Amino acid sequence: MLFGGNSEDLKKLDERTFLAVFGDVPSFDIAKEDLPCNILDLLAVKTAILPSKGEARKMVQGNGIAINKDKVTDINADVTGADIVNGHHYILAQKGKKNYFIIHVK
């Protein structure tokens, strides 16, 4: 599941399984009021997944970013409350093929 699967598989996970699979990856906390949030702001301002908005822009344009296993290709895309996995307060961000991050929405 960690290296395969898709967004539908991810949405089917209960919270315990989600945390068992992704619990060891780096995580960031954001406030629910911060959503919706532009993808570049989320990656570089609200979290430190990427060091700058310029780097975030390059990664998105290069198909190097996924939210909940779905590639993000639009630098103007917003991450919203609808992106929270199964209502469990988590969003899974992926940078490249093997770098996963949990964004905990509080």
Side-chain angles (χ1 to χ4, degrees), residues 22-72:
F22 297 106
D24 292 335
V25 303
S27 65
F28 299 93
D29 293 337
I30 65 168
K32 189 167 190 161
E33 296 78 36
D34 289 339
L35 298 177
C37 181
N38 174 268
I39 187 68
L40 302 182
D41 289 329
L42 181 71
L43 296 171
V45 178
K46 302 288 182 191
T47 68
I49 293 172
L50 290 162
S52 69
K53 287 173 76 170
E55 192 68 28
R57 179 185 313 273
K58 288 179 193 174
M59 287 295 292
V60 169
Q61 290 174 330
N63 293 322
I65 297 295
I67 296 295
N68 298 331
K69 305 296 260 173
D70 290 327
K71 289 283 185 189
V72 178

